[in-house]
Amino acid sequence: MGPEATVDLYREILACTPARRDQDHFPVLIYSCPSIPDRSRAILEGGDDPLPYLVEAARVLERGGARMIAMPCNTAHYFLPAMRERVQLPILDMIAETLAALRRRLPDIRTAGLLAATGTVRSRIYAHTFAEQGLRVIAPVDRDQERVQAAIAQVKAGGHDRATRETLQSIGAGLIEAGAEAVILGCTEIPLAFDERSVPYATVNATRELARAAVAWAHGERD
Amino acid sequence: MGPEATVDLYREILACTPARRDQDHFPVLIYSCPSIPDRSRAILEGGDDPLPYLVEAARVLERGGARMIAMPCNTAHYFLPAMRERVQLPILDMIAETLAALRRRLPDIRTAGLLAATGTVRSRIYAHTFAEQGLRVIAPVDRDQERVQAAIAQVKAGGHDRATRETLQSIGAGLIEAGAEAVILGCTEIPLAFDERSVPYATVNATRELARAAVAWAHGERD
């Protein structure tokens, strides 16, 4: 997984934990394992299967004493059903959390736009989950999707800049013009190069929703 | 340990790892365990002994498959000799790394200033290590040390601001006036509220030196 995205998830967890001192935070075991084979490539081109690596990473956390897993990679959620069959610990579902957050905020929403890695878009993991609740997911046209994928690669290489941000934000605006009522930041690299406060449309940050779900779980507010 | 400081160490590790894609990074297992009893309080007032908690945290990492430990808390290094007796894995010494970095950069340095938690200052962990190589460590006068400790508490509570930064930077300047040739950022919360590029004196960031040592270790450049 992208290590910057891993850090971003933990930052989001800290941001939604009320704390005045170290001891107010709950313990988190983070396995930053960037060597997991490329999830998009596996889905799109049949590259190395990341599943055994994802399962082994979950077991590292299990051996370390973790009791629940949050996985900061949207694309990896394509492998979630198979992981759940192979791993004892509960694993949160980032896609379902994002959908729930969107429906809390915009109860009448029918169409969501998706900014995500090409593997996430093509595998239709968002489209399937959303369709179960009657929502439609629209993605950028091919040429724009290529630009989104290039922006994600820039973030992973630590080379994103203002132009990267403007690209993502304007492709998001295009999704709104195409009928989306909100835009999903559906790749954990995207929030690192996207300023949600500066766009005039509704957004939902999948990383933040995963963090909220993890904090709620740690506080005993859910199974 | 402070969770923001934990994130900061990992950021420093990423910053000194040359990488173009996820798979260029090495795996890191991070145990953010903020419930470890306050290290300064234990040293100064005989509060709850953090040693068993530090040892247990090291064992969590060991069970998860870690092969080396970096501990992003200067004050906790007071317990390093006792930890090393109880833990199989090698544990880097942040204080020794900071001294080595300072000597590489300023070979003739005789006196270093220390901005650190009161527990670090009073336990003389920097002073002892530095004295072995003929260096003197000077700390702020009591009233300023109280202000440093208050600034650290502000960072831990997420409430630091421009005034916090100016306080730390001006107390650092006072150490230079008192004869220090460089200032050690010797508490992992301090770099979060200190702009090294904006001060006219030499600094050494203990967190960054720990990160450099960890990356060198991971790349097989040292035992």
Side-chain angles (χ1 to χ4, degrees):
Chain A
M1 321 280 188
E4 298 285 0
T6 300
V7 168
D8 189 48
L9 173 65
Y10 190 48
R11 276 204 182 284
E12 292 286 356
I13 287 175
L14 295 177
C16 58
T17 307
R20 295 294 306 165
R21 48 179 205 139
D22 291 354
Q23 290 75 14
D24 295 336
H25 291 275
F26 58 88
V28 178
L29 189 62
I30 303 168
Y31 187 32
S32 180
C33 188
S35 58
I36 292 176
D38 190 292
R39 282 73 62 196
S40 275
R41 190 169 301 155
I43 293 168
L44 299 174
E45 304 163 25
D48 277 357
D49 184 5
L51 181 61
Y53 297 83
L54 291 167
V55 169
E56 177 51 27
R59 291 197 179 133
V60 163
L61 295 172
E62 192 163 27
R63 285 196 290 271
R67 287 172 42 217
M68 181 274 294
I69 290 177
M71 184 164 63
C73 174
N74 290 264
T75 316
H77 281 68
Y78 175 76
F79 305 95
L80 181 62
M83 284 184 74
R84 283 178 164 169
E85 280 175 18
R86 290 162 177 79
V87 174
Q88 296 278 324
L89 290 181
I91 308 175
L92 294 177
D93 181 343
M94 190 178 204
I95 318 297
E97 298 297 340
T98 302
L99 173 57
L102 206 47
R103 299 201 72 179
R104 278 194 304 273
R105 224 166 306 156
L106 300 168
D108 299 323
I109 186 169
R110 310 303 304 161
T111 304
L114 178 62
L115 286 179
T118 304
T120 303
V121 172
R122 295 272 174 80
S123 65
R124 300 183 58 74
I125 43 181
Y126 270 97
H128 283 142
T129 299
F130 278 48
E132 284 167 13
Q133 295 200 23
L135 273 80
R136 194 165 66 103
V137 172
I138 59 174
V141 296
D142 284 356
R143 192 179 148 272
D144 283 345
Q145 181 58 42
E146 281 167 25
R147 294 165 69 211
V148 172
Q149 188 64 40
I152 291 168
Q154 277 180 318
V155 175
K156 284 187 187 284
H160 57 286
D161 55 15
R162 188 175 158 170
T164 316
R165 192 173 71 238
E166 284 168 2
T167 297
L168 290 170
Q169 295 183 179
S170 82
I171 294 173
L175 292 170
I176 299 290
E177 278 168 39
E181 293 147 88
V183 171
I184 301 162
L185 310 187
C187 168
T188 53
E189 266 76 29
I190 289 178
L192 305 173
F194 194 107
D195 181 6
E196 290 180 78
R197 287 162 308 186
S198 81
V199 294
Y201 49 84
T203 55
V204 59
N205 176 340
T207 307
R208 188 173 302 138
E209 300 314 325
L210 181 63
R212 282 200 182 126
V215 172
W217 188 93
H219 288 168
E221 290 158 21
R222 49 189 288 169
D223 295 333
Chain B
M1 322 283 188
E4 298 285 0
T6 300
V7 168
D8 188 49
L9 173 64
Y10 190 47
R11 275 202 183 284
E12 292 286 357
I13 286 174
L14 294 177
C16 59
T17 307
R20 295 293 307 164
R21 46 177 207 142
D22 291 354
Q23 289 75 13
D24 295 336
H25 291 276
F26 59 88
V28 178
L29 189 61
I30 303 169
Y31 187 31
S32 180
C33 188
S35 58
I36 292 175
D38 189 293
R39 282 72 64 195
S40 275
R41 190 170 300 156
I43 293 168
L44 299 174
E45 304 163 24
D48 278 357
D49 183 6
L51 180 61
Y53 297 83
L54 291 167
V55 170
E56 177 50 28
R59 291 196 180 137
V60 163
L61 294 172
E62 192 163 28
R63 284 195 291 271
R67 287 172 43 217
M68 181 274 294
I69 291 177
M71 184 165 62
C73 174
N74 290 265
T75 316
H77 281 69
Y78 176 77
F79 304 95
L80 181 62
M83 284 184 75
R84 283 177 164 171
E85 280 175 19
R86 289 162 178 78
V87 173
Q88 296 279 323
L89 290 181
I91 308 174
L92 294 176
D93 182 343
M94 189 179 205
I95 316 298
E97 297 298 340
T98 302
L99 173 57
L102 206 48
R103 298 199 74 179
R104 278 195 304 273
R105 224 164 308 154
L106 300 169
D108 299 324
I109 187 170
R110 309 303 303 161
T111 305
L114 179 61
L115 287 179
T118 304
T120 303
V121 173
R122 295 272 176 80
S123 65
R124 300 183 58 76
I125 43 182
Y126 269 97
H128 283 142
T129 300
F130 278 47
E132 285 167 13
Q133 294 200 23
L135 273 80
R136 194 165 66 102
V137 172
I138 59 174
V141 296
D142 284 355
R143 194 182 145 270
D144 282 345
Q145 180 59 43
E146 282 167 24
R147 292 166 69 210
V148 172
Q149 187 64 41
I152 292 168
Q154 277 180 318
V155 174
K156 284 185 187 288
H160 57 285
D161 55 15
R162 188 175 160 171
T164 315
R165 191 172 71 236
E166 285 169 0
T167 296
L168 290 170
Q169 295 182 179
S170 81
I171 294 173
L175 292 170
I176 299 290
E177 279 167 39
E181 292 147 90
V183 171
I184 302 162
L185 309 189
C187 168
T188 53
E189 266 74 30
I190 289 178
L192 305 173
F194 195 106
D195 180 8
E196 291 181 77
R197 287 162 307 186
S198 81
V199 295
Y201 50 84
T203 55
V204 59
N205 176 341
T207 307
R208 187 173 304 140
E209 300 315 326
L210 180 63
R212 281 197 184 130
V215 172
W217 189 93
H219 289 169
E221 290 158 21
R222 48 189 289 172
D223 296 331

